[in-house]
Amino acid sequence: MKTYLLVFAALCCIGACGRSMSDENILAIDAAEKVYVAPGEKDEFYWFMSGGYSGQVTVYGIPSGRLLKTIPVFSQFPENGYGYEEETKEMLMTSHGHVVWGDAHHPEVSLTRGEQDGRWLFINENNTPRIARIDLRRFETAEIIEIPNAAGNHASPFLTENTEYLMAATRFSVPVPQRDVPIASAKEGTFKGTISMVKVDGDTGEMSLALQVLVPGFNYDISHCGKGPSHDWCFFSTYNTEQAYKMLEIEASQNDKDYTLAFNWVLAEQCVDDGKAKAFPGVYYHNVHPSNHAVVSEKQSGVTMLDPVDCPGMLFFLPTPKSPHGTDVDPSGEYIVSGGKLATVIPVHSFKKFAQAITDPGNIITSIEGIPVLKYASTLAGEVEKPCLGPLHTEFDGNGYAYTSCFISSEVIKWKLGTWEVVDRIPAYYSIGHLSIAGGDSSKPIGKYLLSLNKITKDRYLPVGPELSQSAQLYDISGRKMQLLLDFPTTGEPHYAQGVPASLIADKVEKIFPLDENNHPSATKKEADARVERDGQTVHVYMTSIRSHFKPDTVDVKVGDRVYFHITNLEQDYDIDHGFAIFGAGAPNLLIMPGETKTIQYQASKPGIYPFYCTDFCSALHQEMQQYLRVTP
């Protein structure tokens, strides 16, 4: 195994690291023209990228590569006060307490009939299992739900064809329910995984944990649900079928084949309706942030759990070589592509053959914890032979071609569905992880651009110390040959991305919060109502902000008071937000959008005069937008 990996590494350096931009057909001759977006003009696509260890989502305009926004999700964000202010603190509440820094991986745009509809963006948190929903009218996190009975929420949050459900599967198997057992007992089956079905309300987008399915204690990875003929099914890649618990780089790479897990979620619903599921322990938080209101955080107890032995036909294992990372479904719903990190081929399963195979007991070679294992050949449509080194993730252009990222050989390959032949390849700089085509995992891809998300950039940008930026590279895939157009640094570590036509979203984005719709309980909708109210040692300051002053002008409190500043921005003009900061506060400044109310808590601990001011330049008299808090003994 060690020799195998050393050969891979050597081939990487020979095949990728020695390439340069002068290689033929890499950089488009008209690259600058194709990515140029003139001042005042707008990009054609929004591209939503996970921030990885930053816990956030970043939004880029494509083709320009301009960073448009960072959306705070699983981590506190000093730029606008998310996670610090009273309104959003509870978004980061979990059964483990306030977890204020997460690991965000896989953004997914909501679907209708398999097509992107631009309403919501969902993203997972890997370390403390959670899923968030971002409202794309506001570009703000509207909801976070915790996933119990799981560890490593990596295979998440993949959508069914009409966003009926989000699917989430365990990356790290653990005892379910959690308890103290010897780690070595993992090989004895004491560790388990779960598949969680998170129901999505079709009107509001609100999430609820509908069902968990108990599965063997493997590692479950990138997954996708079917479409069209395969609508009822979702497909999960698995690795570490050896159930190793140490030195996984060696011990979890022994089997020639791991599995793609096929899951019939419609049958799972039926089994629940038939009373085959059971009540099971599980504690988790569900946090909802309505527009212009404080977060409602609720602790939930108990889940509905289904064991595969009680629902025959719900799950099947499809042998897949070797250590698969991604499972992807083509736009027609017929082909299921699984990229094995250590495989010499890219296997493509046929849904039609799979549907036939499960009706014939002769195709079952064994069973694992009640889940049948099918013959490899019984579901195989074909294999892409000698594609590259380290194939990871595949997306589609809607024109009959698939594109696969190859981590070790640092390249993207283009291959034809049906004939399985590689027709083009192009370098990535370097060690590409995921790739993304607008709608590339939907039933209606837009085969114009491909974005690669690369892990190593050591010679791409000006040096800034030992820590280097990650890199995204933009390719033109509209022609016969792929051509590089642009590369640009990214924020955090992007794991996956979703490209969405701007026309689906831009016209629906809210520009202000109408004051008359502000239902915040501490809102002050006109300056004449600004006031200070005391309740023992708790003081509430109901404050307004407008160009270029706050009301009340001055505030008097006493040492020991806990002071809540509830600031309402009275502006009703687009892009006129106000900031608020006060000297001596333990929290960062707030940003308050037009018509919005935000709250910051201040502990009056020492006598003195403490200025507060607007932190966001709002007018010619911005500097004059300052007043004072007096703290007396």
PDB file of all heavy atoms in Angstrom, residues 268-302:
ATOM      1  N   ALA A 268     -38.863   4.135   2.673  1.00  0.00           N
ATOM      2  CA  ALA A 268     -38.646   4.446   4.090  1.00  0.00           C
ATOM      3  C   ALA A 268     -39.857   5.176   4.667  1.00  0.00           C
ATOM      4  O   ALA A 268     -40.316   4.871   5.783  1.00  0.00           O
ATOM      5  CB  ALA A 268     -37.387   5.289   4.258  1.00  0.00           C
ATOM      6  N   GLU A 269     -40.389   6.147   3.926  1.00  0.00           N
ATOM      7  CA  GLU A 269     -41.617   6.836   4.364  1.00  0.00           C
ATOM      8  C   GLU A 269     -42.748   5.842   4.589  1.00  0.00           C
ATOM      9  O   GLU A 269     -43.490   5.919   5.580  1.00  0.00           O
ATOM     10  CB  GLU A 269     -42.050   7.859   3.312  1.00  0.00           C
ATOM     11  CG  GLU A 269     -41.225   9.114   3.233  1.00  0.00           C
ATOM     12  CD  GLU A 269     -41.818  10.092   2.222  1.00  0.00           C
ATOM     13  OE1 GLU A 269     -42.179   9.653   1.109  1.00  0.00           O
ATOM     14  OE2 GLU A 269     -41.923  11.285   2.530  1.00  0.00           O
ATOM     15  N   GLN A 270     -42.891   4.885   3.641  1.00  0.00           N
ATOM     16  CA  GLN A 270     -43.971   3.911   3.735  1.00  0.00           C
ATOM     17  C   GLN A 270     -43.808   3.020   4.961  1.00  0.00           C
ATOM     18  O   GLN A 270     -44.773   2.724   5.669  1.00  0.00           O
ATOM     19  CB  GLN A 270     -44.013   3.056   2.468  1.00  0.00           C
ATOM     20  CG  GLN A 270     -45.163   2.078   2.415  1.00  0.00           C
ATOM     21  CD  GLN A 270     -46.516   2.774   2.449  1.00  0.00           C
ATOM     22  OE1 GLN A 270     -46.789   3.656   1.641  1.00  0.00           O
ATOM     23  NE2 GLN A 270     -47.372   2.398   3.403  1.00  0.00           N
ATOM     24  N   CYS A 271     -42.555   2.620   5.239  1.00  0.00           N
ATOM     25  CA  CYS A 271     -42.315   1.775   6.405  1.00  0.00           C
ATOM     26  C   CYS A 271     -42.633   2.516   7.707  1.00  0.00           C
ATOM     27  O   CYS A 271     -43.114   1.908   8.674  1.00  0.00           O
ATOM     28  CB  CYS A 271     -40.865   1.276   6.398  1.00  0.00           C
ATOM     29  SG  CYS A 271     -40.566  -0.023   5.165  1.00  0.00           S
ATOM     30  N   VAL A 272     -42.370   3.813   7.738  1.00  0.00           N
ATOM     31  CA  VAL A 272     -42.744   4.603   8.913  1.00  0.00           C
ATOM     32  C   VAL A 272     -44.265   4.637   9.044  1.00  0.00           C
ATOM     33  O   VAL A 272     -44.820   4.430  10.140  1.00  0.00           O
ATOM     34  CB  VAL A 272     -42.169   6.037   8.815  1.00  0.00           C
ATOM     35  CG1 VAL A 272     -42.727   6.909   9.943  1.00  0.00           C
ATOM     36  CG2 VAL A 272     -40.643   6.013   8.890  1.00  0.00           C
ATOM     37  N   ASP A 273     -44.959   4.873   7.920  1.00  0.00           N
ATOM     38  CA  ASP A 273     -46.424   4.902   7.949  1.00  0.00           C
ATOM     39  C   ASP A 273     -46.998   3.558   8.393  1.00  0.00           C
ATOM     40  O   ASP A 273     -48.078   3.504   9.000  1.00  0.00           O
ATOM     41  CB  ASP A 273     -46.970   5.264   6.568  1.00  0.00           C
ATOM     42  CG  ASP A 273     -46.692   6.711   6.192  1.00  0.00           C
ATOM     43  OD1 ASP A 273     -46.353   7.506   7.090  1.00  0.00           O
ATOM     44  OD2 ASP A 273     -46.785   7.033   4.986  1.00  0.00           O
ATOM     45  N   ASP A 274     -46.271   2.471   8.096  1.00  0.00           N
ATOM     46  CA  ASP A 274     -46.729   1.138   8.458  1.00  0.00           C
ATOM     47  C   ASP A 274     -46.353   0.760   9.892  1.00  0.00           C
ATOM     48  O   ASP A 274     -46.572  -0.381  10.320  1.00  0.00           O
ATOM     49  CB  ASP A 274     -46.146   0.098   7.500  1.00  0.00           C
ATOM     50  CG  ASP A 274     -46.711   0.227   6.088  1.00  0.00           C
ATOM     51  OD1 ASP A 274     -47.760   0.881   5.930  1.00  0.00           O
ATOM     52  OD2 ASP A 274     -46.095  -0.313   5.148  1.00  0.00           O
ATOM     53  N   GLY A 275     -45.752   1.701  10.633  1.00  0.00           N
ATOM     54  CA  GLY A 275     -45.444   1.472  12.039  1.00  0.00           C
ATOM     55  C   GLY A 275     -44.187   0.667  12.296  1.00  0.00           C
ATOM     56  O   GLY A 275     -44.013   0.129  13.398  1.00  0.00           O
ATOM     57  N   LYS A 276     -43.279   0.594  11.321  1.00  0.00           N
ATOM     58  CA  LYS A 276     -42.083  -0.235  11.478  1.00  0.00           C
ATOM     59  C   LYS A 276     -40.918   0.506  12.136  1.00  0.00           C
ATOM     60  O   LYS A 276     -39.919  -0.111  12.504  1.00  0.00           O
ATOM     61  CB  LYS A 276     -41.662  -0.785  10.115  1.00  0.00           C
ATOM     62  CG  LYS A 276     -42.691  -1.734   9.524  1.00  0.00           C
ATOM     63  CD  LYS A 276     -42.258  -2.274   8.170  1.00  0.00           C
ATOM     64  CE  LYS A 276     -43.304  -3.241   7.622  1.00  0.00           C
ATOM     65  NZ  LYS A 276     -42.902  -3.789   6.298  1.00  0.00           N
ATOM     66  N   ALA A 277     -41.008   1.818  12.255  1.00  0.00           N
ATOM     67  CA  ALA A 277     -39.952   2.595  12.925  1.00  0.00           C
ATOM     68  C   ALA A 277     -40.228   2.638  14.423  1.00  0.00           C
ATOM     69  O   ALA A 277     -41.352   2.378  14.883  1.00  0.00           O
ATOM     70  CB  ALA A 277     -39.881   4.001  12.356  1.00  0.00           C
ATOM     71  N   LYS A 278     -39.187   2.986  15.168  1.00  0.00           N
ATOM     72  CA  LYS A 278     -39.306   3.005  16.635  1.00  0.00           C
ATOM     73  C   LYS A 278     -38.816   4.343  17.187  1.00  0.00           C
ATOM     74  O   LYS A 278     -37.972   5.015  16.575  1.00  0.00           O
ATOM     75  CB  LYS A 278     -38.473   1.869  17.236  1.00  0.00           C
ATOM     76  CG  LYS A 278     -38.923   0.471  16.831  1.00  0.00           C
ATOM     77  CD  LYS A 278     -38.009  -0.580  17.421  1.00  0.00           C
ATOM     78  CE  LYS A 278     -38.515  -1.995  17.109  1.00  0.00           C
ATOM     79  NZ  LYS A 278     -38.468  -2.290  15.662  1.00  0.00           N
ATOM     80  N   ALA A 279     -39.333   4.693  18.351  1.00  0.00           N
ATOM     81  CA  ALA A 279     -38.810   5.868  19.063  1.00  0.00           C
ATOM     82  C   ALA A 279     -37.396   5.562  19.542  1.00  0.00           C
ATOM     83  O   ALA A 279     -37.087   4.440  19.960  1.00  0.00           O
ATOM     84  CB  ALA A 279     -39.716   6.213  20.231  1.00  0.00           C
ATOM     85  N   PHE A 280     -36.541   6.583  19.477  1.00  0.00           N
ATOM     86  CA  PHE A 280     -35.116   6.371  19.767  1.00  0.00           C
ATOM     87  C   PHE A 280     -34.597   7.639  20.434  1.00  0.00           C
ATOM     88  O   PHE A 280     -35.051   8.748  20.125  1.00  0.00           O
ATOM     89  CB  PHE A 280     -34.369   6.098  18.459  1.00  0.00           C
ATOM     90  CG  PHE A 280     -33.014   5.474  18.620  1.00  0.00           C
ATOM     91  CD1 PHE A 280     -32.879   4.105  18.751  1.00  0.00           C
ATOM     92  CD2 PHE A 280     -31.859   6.254  18.643  1.00  0.00           C
ATOM     93  CE1 PHE A 280     -31.634   3.510  18.887  1.00  0.00           C
ATOM     94  CE2 PHE A 280     -30.615   5.678  18.783  1.00  0.00           C
ATOM     95  CZ  PHE A 280     -30.499   4.298  18.903  1.00  0.00           C
ATOM     96  N   PRO A 281     -33.618   7.513  21.359  1.00  0.00           N
ATOM     97  CA  PRO A 281     -33.099   8.728  21.998  1.00  0.00           C
ATOM     98  C   PRO A 281     -32.304   9.596  21.033  1.00  0.00           C
ATOM     99  O   PRO A 281     -31.738   9.118  20.058  1.00  0.00           O
ATOM    100  CB  PRO A 281     -32.204   8.179  23.119  1.00  0.00           C
ATOM    101  CG  PRO A 281     -31.868   6.784  22.711  1.00  0.00           C
ATOM    102  CD  PRO A 281     -33.031   6.289  21.921  1.00  0.00           C
ATOM    103  N   GLY A 282     -32.272  10.869  21.331  1.00  0.00           N
ATOM    104  CA  GLY A 282     -31.505  11.819  20.534  1.00  0.00           C
ATOM    105  C   GLY A 282     -31.875  13.230  20.947  1.00  0.00           C
ATOM    106  O   GLY A 282     -33.060  13.572  20.980  1.00  0.00           O
ATOM    107  N   VAL A 283     -30.879  14.025  21.294  1.00  0.00           N
ATOM    108  CA  VAL A 283     -31.107  15.411  21.721  1.00  0.00           C
ATOM    109  C   VAL A 283     -30.463  16.335  20.701  1.00  0.00           C
ATOM    110  O   VAL A 283     -29.313  16.124  20.291  1.00  0.00           O
ATOM    111  CB  VAL A 283     -30.522  15.666  23.125  1.00  0.00           C
ATOM    112  CG1 VAL A 283     -30.676  17.133  23.514  1.00  0.00           C
ATOM    113  CG2 VAL A 283     -31.200  14.763  24.150  1.00  0.00           C
ATOM    114  N   TYR A 284     -31.205  17.361  20.284  1.00  0.00           N
ATOM    115  CA  TYR A 284     -30.668  18.297  19.288  1.00  0.00           C
ATOM    116  C   TYR A 284     -31.404  19.627  19.389  1.00  0.00           C
ATOM    117  O   TYR A 284     -32.495  19.711  19.959  1.00  0.00           O
ATOM    118  CB  TYR A 284     -30.795  17.718  17.879  1.00  0.00           C
ATOM    119  CG  TYR A 284     -32.211  17.435  17.419  1.00  0.00           C
ATOM    120  CD1 TYR A 284     -32.892  18.313  16.586  1.00  0.00           C
ATOM    121  CD2 TYR A 284     -32.877  16.268  17.820  1.00  0.00           C
ATOM    122  CE1 TYR A 284     -34.179  18.050  16.150  1.00  0.00           C
ATOM    123  CE2 TYR A 284     -34.168  16.002  17.407  1.00  0.00           C
ATOM    124  CZ  TYR A 284     -34.825  16.893  16.555  1.00  0.00           C
ATOM    125  OH  TYR A 284     -36.111  16.633  16.139  1.00  0.00           O
ATOM    126  N   TYR A 285     -30.775  20.659  18.820  1.00  0.00           N
ATOM    127  CA  TYR A 285     -31.371  22.001  18.825  1.00  0.00           C
ATOM    128  C   TYR A 285     -31.846  22.373  17.426  1.00  0.00           C
ATOM    129  O   TYR A 285     -31.220  22.020  16.414  1.00  0.00           O
ATOM    130  CB  TYR A 285     -30.363  23.039  19.321  1.00  0.00           C
ATOM    131  CG  TYR A 285     -30.381  23.205  20.825  1.00  0.00           C
ATOM    132  CD1 TYR A 285     -29.727  22.298  21.646  1.00  0.00           C
ATOM    133  CD2 TYR A 285     -31.079  24.255  21.428  1.00  0.00           C
ATOM    134  CE1 TYR A 285     -29.750  22.429  23.020  1.00  0.00           C
ATOM    135  CE2 TYR A 285     -31.114  24.398  22.804  1.00  0.00           C
ATOM    136  CZ  TYR A 285     -30.446  23.489  23.599  1.00  0.00           C
ATOM    137  OH  TYR A 285     -30.485  23.626  24.961  1.00  0.00           O
ATOM    138  N   HIS A 286     -32.933  23.104  17.403  1.00  0.00           N
ATOM    139  CA  HIS A 286     -33.478  23.657  16.162  1.00  0.00           C
ATOM    140  C   HIS A 286     -33.612  25.164  16.360  1.00  0.00           C
ATOM    141  O   HIS A 286     -34.368  25.620  17.228  1.00  0.00           O
ATOM    142  CB  HIS A 286     -34.846  23.031  15.866  1.00  0.00           C
ATOM    143  CG  HIS A 286     -35.446  23.481  14.581  1.00  0.00           C
ATOM    144  ND1 HIS A 286     -36.798  23.464  14.339  1.00  0.00           N
ATOM    145  CD2 HIS A 286     -34.881  23.978  13.439  1.00  0.00           C
ATOM    146  CE1 HIS A 286     -37.044  23.919  13.123  1.00  0.00           C
ATOM    147  NE2 HIS A 286     -35.896  24.238  12.564  1.00  0.00           N
ATOM    148  N   ASN A 287     -32.849  25.919  15.583  1.00  0.00           N
ATOM    149  CA  ASN A 287     -32.770  27.373  15.758  1.00  0.00           C
ATOM    150  C   ASN A 287     -33.291  28.069  14.506  1.00  0.00           C
ATOM    151  O   ASN A 287     -32.769  27.847  13.412  1.00  0.00           O
ATOM    152  CB  ASN A 287     -31.320  27.792  16.018  1.00  0.00           C
ATOM    153  CG  ASN A 287     -30.685  26.991  17.144  1.00  0.00           C
ATOM    154  OD1 ASN A 287     -31.337  26.691  18.147  1.00  0.00           O
ATOM    155  ND2 ASN A 287     -29.425  26.631  16.982  1.00  0.00           N
ATOM    156  N   VAL A 288     -34.295  28.924  14.669  1.00  0.00           N
ATOM    157  CA  VAL A 288     -34.925  29.614  13.545  1.00  0.00           C
ATOM    158  C   VAL A 288     -34.798  31.112  13.756  1.00  0.00           C
ATOM    159  O   VAL A 288     -35.076  31.627  14.846  1.00  0.00           O
ATOM    160  CB  VAL A 288     -36.417  29.220  13.411  1.00  0.00           C
ATOM    161  CG1 VAL A 288     -37.058  29.951  12.243  1.00  0.00           C
ATOM    162  CG2 VAL A 288     -36.548  27.709  13.232  1.00  0.00           C
ATOM    163  N   HIS A 289     -34.373  31.807  12.696  1.00  0.00           N
ATOM    164  CA  HIS A 289     -34.207  33.259  12.761  1.00  0.00           C
ATOM    165  C   HIS A 289     -35.174  33.921  11.785  1.00  0.00           C
ATOM    166  O   HIS A 289     -34.858  34.101  10.611  1.00  0.00           O
ATOM    167  CB  HIS A 289     -32.766  33.647  12.404  1.00  0.00           C
ATOM    168  CG  HIS A 289     -32.486  35.107  12.568  1.00  0.00           C
ATOM    169  ND1 HIS A 289     -31.481  35.757  11.884  1.00  0.00           N
ATOM    170  CD2 HIS A 289     -33.073  36.058  13.333  1.00  0.00           C
ATOM    171  CE1 HIS A 289     -31.456  37.035  12.212  1.00  0.00           C
ATOM    172  NE2 HIS A 289     -32.416  37.237  13.096  1.00  0.00           N
ATOM    173  N   PRO A 290     -36.370  34.282  12.251  1.00  0.00           N
ATOM    174  CA  PRO A 290     -37.301  34.978  11.360  1.00  0.00           C
ATOM    175  C   PRO A 290     -36.743  36.346  10.973  1.00  0.00           C
ATOM    176  O   PRO A 290     -35.940  36.930  11.699  1.00  0.00           O
ATOM    177  CB  PRO A 290     -38.570  35.129  12.217  1.00  0.00           C
ATOM    178  CG  PRO A 290     -38.368  34.235  13.391  1.00  0.00           C
ATOM    179  CD  PRO A 290     -36.898  34.130  13.604  1.00  0.00           C
ATOM    180  N   SER A 291     -37.156  36.855   9.846  1.00  0.00           N
ATOM    181  CA  SER A 291     -36.718  38.174   9.415  1.00  0.00           C
ATOM    182  C   SER A 291     -37.088  39.215  10.469  1.00  0.00           C
ATOM    183  O   SER A 291     -38.228  39.269  10.938  1.00  0.00           O
ATOM    184  CB  SER A 291     -37.390  38.537   8.086  1.00  0.00           C
ATOM    185  OG  SER A 291     -37.059  39.845   7.695  1.00  0.00           O
ATOM    186  N   ASN A 292     -36.099  40.019  10.869  1.00  0.00           N
ATOM    187  CA  ASN A 292     -36.315  41.121  11.802  1.00  0.00           C
ATOM    188  C   ASN A 292     -36.870  40.657  13.146  1.00  0.00           C
ATOM    189  O   ASN A 292     -37.790  41.257  13.709  1.00  0.00           O
ATOM    190  CB  ASN A 292     -37.240  42.178  11.195  1.00  0.00           C
ATOM    191  CG  ASN A 292     -36.588  43.542  11.230  1.00  0.00           C
ATOM    192  OD1 ASN A 292     -35.906  43.892  12.194  1.00  0.00           O
ATOM    193  ND2 ASN A 292     -36.780  44.309  10.173  1.00  0.00           N
ATOM    194  N   HIS A 293     -36.302  39.593  13.668  1.00  0.00           N
ATOM    195  CA  HIS A 293     -36.747  39.079  14.950  1.00  0.00           C
ATOM    196  C   HIS A 293     -35.592  38.299  15.551  1.00  0.00           C
ATOM    197  O   HIS A 293     -34.696  37.838  14.848  1.00  0.00           O
ATOM    198  CB  HIS A 293     -37.967  38.172  14.773  1.00  0.00           C
ATOM    199  CG  HIS A 293     -38.794  38.023  16.012  1.00  0.00           C
ATOM    200  ND1 HIS A 293     -38.397  37.260  17.087  1.00  0.00           N
ATOM    201  CD2 HIS A 293     -39.999  38.542  16.347  1.00  0.00           C
ATOM    202  CE1 HIS A 293     -39.330  37.307  18.018  1.00  0.00           C
ATOM    203  NE2 HIS A 293     -40.314  38.082  17.604  1.00  0.00           N
ATOM    204  N   ALA A 294     -35.594  38.126  16.857  1.00  0.00           N
ATOM    205  CA  ALA A 294     -34.568  37.324  17.508  1.00  0.00           C
ATOM    206  C   ALA A 294     -34.767  35.847  17.183  1.00  0.00           C
ATOM    207  O   ALA A 294     -35.878  35.397  16.881  1.00  0.00           O
ATOM    208  CB  ALA A 294     -34.605  37.540  19.013  1.00  0.00           C
ATOM    209  N   VAL A 295     -33.683  35.092  17.271  1.00  0.00           N
ATOM    210  CA  VAL A 295     -33.720  33.661  17.004  1.00  0.00           C
ATOM    211  C   VAL A 295     -34.620  32.949  18.017  1.00  0.00           C
ATOM    212  O   VAL A 295     -34.603  33.260  19.211  1.00  0.00           O
ATOM    213  CB  VAL A 295     -32.290  33.073  17.061  1.00  0.00           C
ATOM    214  CG1 VAL A 295     -32.321  31.552  17.107  1.00  0.00           C
ATOM    215  CG2 VAL A 295     -31.474  33.553  15.871  1.00  0.00           C
ATOM    216  N   VAL A 296     -35.390  32.001  17.530  1.00  0.00           N
ATOM    217  CA  VAL A 296     -36.151  31.106  18.393  1.00  0.00           C
ATOM    218  C   VAL A 296     -35.386  29.785  18.432  1.00  0.00           C
ATOM    219  O   VAL A 296     -35.243  29.103  17.414  1.00  0.00           O
ATOM    220  CB  VAL A 296     -37.574  30.887  17.856  1.00  0.00           C
ATOM    221  CG1 VAL A 296     -38.321  29.900  18.741  1.00  0.00           C
ATOM    222  CG2 VAL A 296     -38.319  32.218  17.763  1.00  0.00           C
ATOM    223  N   SER A 297     -34.849  29.446  19.598  1.00  0.00           N
ATOM    224  CA  SER A 297     -34.026  28.254  19.757  1.00  0.00           C
ATOM    225  C   SER A 297     -34.772  27.246  20.623  1.00  0.00           C
ATOM    226  O   SER A 297     -35.158  27.556  21.742  1.00  0.00           O
ATOM    227  CB  SER A 297     -32.677  28.613  20.401  1.00  0.00           C
ATOM    228  OG  SER A 297     -31.879  27.474  20.600  1.00  0.00           O
ATOM    229  N   GLU A 298     -34.970  26.034  20.089  1.00  0.00           N
ATOM    230  CA  GLU A 298     -35.735  25.015  20.810  1.00  0.00           C
ATOM    231  C   GLU A 298     -34.928  23.731  20.926  1.00  0.00           C
ATOM    232  O   GLU A 298     -34.361  23.249  19.942  1.00  0.00           O
ATOM    233  CB  GLU A 298     -37.050  24.715  20.086  1.00  0.00           C
ATOM    234  CG  GLU A 298     -38.012  25.889  20.059  1.00  0.00           C
ATOM    235  CD  GLU A 298     -39.326  25.545  19.397  1.00  0.00           C
ATOM    236  OE1 GLU A 298     -39.389  24.473  18.738  1.00  0.00           O
ATOM    237  OE2 GLU A 298     -40.285  26.309  19.531  1.00  0.00           O
ATOM    238  N   LYS A 299     -34.892  23.182  22.128  1.00  0.00           N
ATOM    239  CA  LYS A 299     -34.246  21.896  22.370  1.00  0.00           C
ATOM    240  C   LYS A 299     -35.252  20.783  22.094  1.00  0.00           C
ATOM    241  O   LYS A 299     -36.356  20.788  22.625  1.00  0.00           O
ATOM    242  CB  LYS A 299     -33.748  21.823  23.815  1.00  0.00           C
ATOM    243  CG  LYS A 299     -32.981  20.562  24.151  1.00  0.00           C
ATOM    244  CD  LYS A 299     -32.495  20.608  25.602  1.00  0.00           C
ATOM    245  CE  LYS A 299     -31.699  19.369  25.978  1.00  0.00           C
ATOM    246  NZ  LYS A 299     -31.227  19.432  27.389  1.00  0.00           N
ATOM    247  N   GLN A 300     -34.856  19.846  21.232  1.00  0.00           N
ATOM    248  CA  GLN A 300     -35.722  18.729  20.867  1.00  0.00           C
ATOM    249  C   GLN A 300     -35.166  17.434  21.465  1.00  0.00           C
ATOM    250  O   GLN A 300     -33.951  17.266  21.567  1.00  0.00           O
ATOM    251  CB  GLN A 300     -35.785  18.588  19.343  1.00  0.00           C
ATOM    252  CG  GLN A 300     -36.104  19.868  18.603  1.00  0.00           C
ATOM    253  CD  GLN A 300     -37.583  20.184  18.597  1.00  0.00           C
ATOM    254  OE1 GLN A 300     -38.408  19.350  18.947  1.00  0.00           O
ATOM    255  NE2 GLN A 300     -37.929  21.399  18.199  1.00  0.00           N
ATOM    256  N   SER A 301     -36.050  16.529  21.833  1.00  0.00           N
ATOM    257  CA  SER A 301     -35.635  15.243  22.391  1.00  0.00           C
ATOM    258  C   SER A 301     -36.383  14.121  21.691  1.00  0.00           C
ATOM    259  O   SER A 301     -37.609  14.189  21.527  1.00  0.00           O
ATOM    260  CB  SER A 301     -35.925  15.176  23.897  1.00  0.00           C
ATOM    261  OG  SER A 301     -35.148  16.120  24.598  1.00  0.00           O
ATOM    262  N   GLY A 302     -35.629  13.096  21.284  1.00  0.00           N
ATOM    263  CA  GLY A 302     -36.215  11.915  20.677  1.00  0.00           C
ATOM    264  C   GLY A 302     -36.302  12.005  19.167  1.00  0.00           C
ATOM    265  O   GLY A 302     -36.560  13.075  18.612  1.00  0.00           O
TER     266      GLY A 302
END
